[in-house]
Amino acid sequence: MQVKNFLILLSSAVLLASCKNGGLFAKKKEKSEVTGWNYNDKNQGGFQVAKSRDQATGPGLVFVQGGTFTMGQTEEDVMGDWNNIPRRVTVPSFYIDRTEVANVHYREYIYWLTRVFDPEADENNKKIIDAALPDTLVWRSELSYNEPLVEYYFRHPGFNDYPVVGVSWRQAYDFCLWRSDRVNEGVLMDKGFVAPQSIQGQQQENNFTTKSYLLGLYQAQPGKGARSKKNPLKTPQGTPRTNVTFEDGILMPDYRLPFEAEWEYAAYGYINNNPRPSLKEGKRGEELITQKQVFPWSHNPNGLRDTKHGSWQGQFLANFKRGSGDNAGVAGGLNDRAIYTAPVKSFYPNGFGVYNMAGNVSEWVYDVYRPLTNLDADDVAPVRGNKFMKMYKNESGEAEVDSTGRVKMTEVTDAESRNRRNYQRGNVINFLDGDSLSLASYGYGQTTLVSDKSRVFKGGSWNDRAYWLSPGTRRYLEEDQASSTIGFRCAMDRMGSPEGNKRKTGNFWKTRKQTR
């Protein structure tokens, strides 16, 4: 009996050992289809491959499934600008903010800057804070009384959820950079890869930025999750890895300003006009690409609300100026319930679930303005404003951070681009419109107000007539200027399936049996 028990124990021990060493019941490791070696196996090289996963939706964003649409003019060009000639383009899938950036969001940004770059400690820090503050003087006008808005619009809690204005394109661009870093730092803290940080301890160049962290220029204290044996990230030797790489699928792409084509596409919300596609492969929406609607709402082209949804005819679908001297309607029945701006979640969202893509405030987009970009730009992801950059490296070949903690970047030179086939210049803002080959010139301040600093804004505002509410209309302003009618929202690139999360990519068929 003792011999029998001994044999049972011995066989159990052998079985357990075989499991630990990749035996019969060990979890099967994923293999490379090009070498046959195991991934994530310290005994076969230790090449780490993260499990395929869908991209997480960042805070405040909604998914916009890409597609083709007619960009540009959808009604008579009453302004005679000839700057939005219709053209069909394709927009890749992306994410965009559900709402415009509100005062409370921008105040959070200013708060963080003030804590990290203490203006009392350094004169240069004060310059950083001053450069980020919105210009509240945009509310002033020679023949109106707007001083209360100058003093209180940005600061009073009654305006917390109203869109921030007085922000230049450059300030909006910097806000997107800051937001990217705060979101990714929060993700690392939530997952335990970075110890909870105190912004009091992050001064100037020592503050977290995503790029400096990935390059190893920012040394974060590892959190409990990174030191745990359950940490899914491993070194080639199989020990827990404390630093996260972008290949791990944990960090998010950067927030940025939406491109003009993206903004216009998201504003129309055409997906609302197609039958909802099924999650099952083969069940797709119809390709209804013939709509030429004028405004972001499609079911009520006259702009009045549908009584089926519990509202009444006569209430507007956007915050705009109905006519001369009529910015709100009559007391007791204000047609848009706003004199100036309205809260960022006012009115119905469109087909993509995005609010106020018409009216309230116009919005900055990324693009540099040129009248005929619609004709020149690529069919897919059209944009003007590219200035190709690369990481700056010192004499030792190492990357560096500046006084704000950001990785130093420098422009790609024409000499570096000369032998390429897909581009030959580093700065292509003027490509085909303003360069020597185009024979076009813009005498800024003499014959035109167009320059390389002219940025497009879209969507119409609380002080605009209905014409400007059409997503196809476009205007421009210098990137260092601001207005009481212009705000912004952020966007983010989409990684993976263009149809969204939990969907396959491409068309799939069962593998056919080979015949000899």
Side-chain angles (χ1 to χ4, degrees):
M1 189 68 179
Q2 290 180 344
V3 175
K4 183 178 181 181
N5 291 338
F6 173 75
L7 291 174
I8 292 174
L9 289 173
L10 181 61
S11 61
S12 299
V14 172
L15 184 62
L16 181 60
S18 68
C19 289
K20 288 185 176 180
N21 293 294
L24 294 176
F25 300 105
K27 185 177 180 181
K28 187 176 181 181
K29 292 185 179 295
E30 186 179 356
K31 287 181 177 291
S32 166
E33 292 189 358
V34 294
T35 65
W37 285 45
N38 292 338
Y39 294 147
N40 310 320
D41 187 342
K42 65 180 181 179
N43 296 318
Q44 294 201 18
F47 178 53
Q48 300 293 308
V49 178
K51 182 180 179 181
S52 295
R53 66 182 74 185
D54 290 323
Q55 178 180 346
T57 303
L61 300 175
V62 295
F63 175 67
V64 177
Q65 186 180 122
T68 182
F69 84 114
T70 301
M71 182 179 178
Q73 181 178 311
T74 56
E75 61 177 338
E76 184 182 357
D77 185 11
V78 297
M79 303 303 292
D81 285 336
W82 294 97
N83 69 354
N84 58 344
I85 299 170
R87 179 189 170 197
R88 184 161 300 282
V89 298
T90 294
V91 175
S93 297
F94 67 103
Y95 297 87
I96 195 167
D97 270 339
R98 187 183 302 274
T99 70
E100 297 143 337
V101 172
N103 284 319
V104 68
H105 304 142
Y106 203 85
R107 289 208 308 268
E108 181 182 359
Y109 169 50
I110 298 298
Y111 168 84
W112 187 91
L113 290 179
T114 305
R115 297 295 294 272
V116 173
F117 303 99
D118 183 2
E120 301 295 330
D122 191 328
E123 181 65 26
N124 289 328
N125 287 353
K126 186 176 186 302
K127 293 178 181 178
I128 292 174
I129 307 302
D130 290 344
L133 288 171
D135 180 9
T136 61
L137 296 181
V138 294
W139 286 108
R140 279 185 175 167
S141 179
E142 297 91 339
L143 297 176
S144 65
Y145 172 61
N146 290 337
E147 289 306 301
L149 296 172
V150 173
E151 289 290 325
Y152 305 125
Y153 179 81
F154 179 61
R155 298 185 298 154
H156 196 283
F159 290 119
N160 274 356
D161 298 321
Y162 286 62
V164 66
V165 297
V167 174
S168 68
W169 182 95
R170 177 55 58 184
Q171 290 173 314
Y173 179 88
D174 289 342
F175 176 91
C176 293
L177 296 178
W178 166 83
R179 185 177 176 185
S180 302
D181 297 330
R182 298 291 68 73
V183 168
N184 278 330
E185 186 179 22
V187 168
L188 292 174
M189 288 192 294
D190 290 343
K191 293 185 178 297
F193 292 109
V194 170
Q197 303 293 316
S198 169
I199 61 174
Q200 292 95 321
Q202 300 184 58
Q203 294 298 313
Q204 300 179 1
E205 69 273 10
N206 294 323
N207 74 85
F208 175 96
T209 68
T210 304
K211 190 178 289 291
S212 64
Y213 172 81
L214 291 173
L215 290 173
L217 302 176
Y218 174 85
Q219 298 300 324
Q221 181 182 352
K224 293 181 179 179
R227 298 190 299 268
S228 170
K229 292 182 179 180
K230 296 182 179 179
N231 179 358
L233 307 183
K234 304 296 181 184
T235 66
Q237 293 73 36
T239 58
R241 172 160 54 91
T242 59
N243 64 304
V244 174
T245 67
F246 201 76
E247 289 81 359
D248 295 322
I250 294 172
L251 296 172
M252 294 186 183
D254 290 339
Y255 285 80
R256 57 172 174 76
L257 290 174
F259 305 132
E260 182 177 4
E262 289 178 332
W263 192 99
E264 191 171 325
Y265 178 83
Y268 281 121
Y270 281 141
I271 195 171
N272 209 36
N273 300 333
N274 286 331
R276 292 291 180 184
S278 170
L279 290 175
K280 295 180 180 179
E281 182 66 18
K283 301 290 185 180
R284 302 176 181 275
E286 297 295 329
E287 290 195 67
L288 303 178
I289 61 174
T290 58
Q291 292 91 347
K292 293 282 287 183
Q293 67 191 54
V294 177
F295 300 114
W297 48 88
S298 58
H299 298 298
N300 291 306
N302 60 358
L304 299 179
R305 289 205 182 211
D306 188 346
T307 55
K308 291 188 295 184
H309 292 89
S311 53
W312 56 92
Q313 291 292 331
Q315 187 175 355
F316 283 14
L317 283 169
N319 175 18
F320 67 103
K321 184 176 183 178
R322 183 165 59 177
S324 297
D326 185 1
N327 282 62
V330 179
L334 299 183
N335 51 42
D336 59 19
R337 293 180 175 173
I339 304 294
Y340 299 99
T341 60
V344 294
K345 286 189 177 179
S346 301
F347 313 104
Y348 286 147
N350 72 0
F352 286 118
V354 186
Y355 290 85
N356 285 302
M357 295 299 270
N360 211 26
V361 290
S362 298
E363 299 176 17
W364 289 115
V365 294
Y366 177 83
D367 296 50
V368 168
Y369 175 83
R370 288 292 186 274
L372 299 180
T373 294
N374 281 20
L375 299 182
D376 297 329
D378 288 356
D379 287 345
V380 180
V383 67
R384 179 180 291 281
N386 284 327
K387 185 184 290 186
F388 303 126
M389 307 292 288
K390 64 178 182 179
M391 192 163 49
Y392 167 82
K393 292 186 179 180
N394 58 27
E395 294 179 354
S396 302
E398 298 173 339
E400 293 181 352
V401 297
D402 60 20
S403 59
T404 68
R406 299 212 172 277
V407 175
K408 292 182 180 179
M409 305 293 288
T410 186
E411 295 182 18
V412 172
T413 65
D414 292 350
E416 293 172 308
S417 311
R418 186 174 296 121
N419 294 326
R420 296 200 61 86
R421 293 297 180 93
N422 52 330
Y423 66 95
Q424 281 78 47
R425 292 165 50 195
N427 184 341
V428 289
I429 287 176
N430 283 319
F431 184 61
L432 299 182
D433 197 343
D435 58 8
S436 58
L437 295 177
S438 65
L439 301 179
S441 62
Y442 293 90
Y444 178 74
Q446 299 174 4
T447 59
T448 177
L449 292 177
V450 176
S451 74
D452 288 352
K453 291 186 176 181
S454 300
R455 299 284 177 170
V456 178
F457 64 91
K458 306 273 284 184
S461 75
W462 57 269
N463 204 31
D464 283 318
R465 303 290 186 94
Y467 171 80
W468 294 109
L469 271 59
S470 175
T473 58
R474 58 200 304 253
R475 288 176 285 183
Y476 64 93
L477 186 67
E478 292 85 352
E479 63 182 35
D480 54 0
Q481 298 294 308
S483 169
S484 63
T485 61
I486 302 177
F488 72 101
R489 72 180 76 216
C490 304
M492 180 186 286
D493 297 317
R494 164 69 182 177
M495 303 294 116
S497 168
E499 293 188 272
N501 290 349
K502 298 181 180 179
R503 291 179 181 272
K504 294 181 179 180
T505 301
N507 295 319
F508 294 88
W509 290 271
K510 292 182 179 180
T511 304
R512 291 183 178 180
K513 186 177 180 179
Q514 259 188 336
T515 58
R516 297 191 179 186

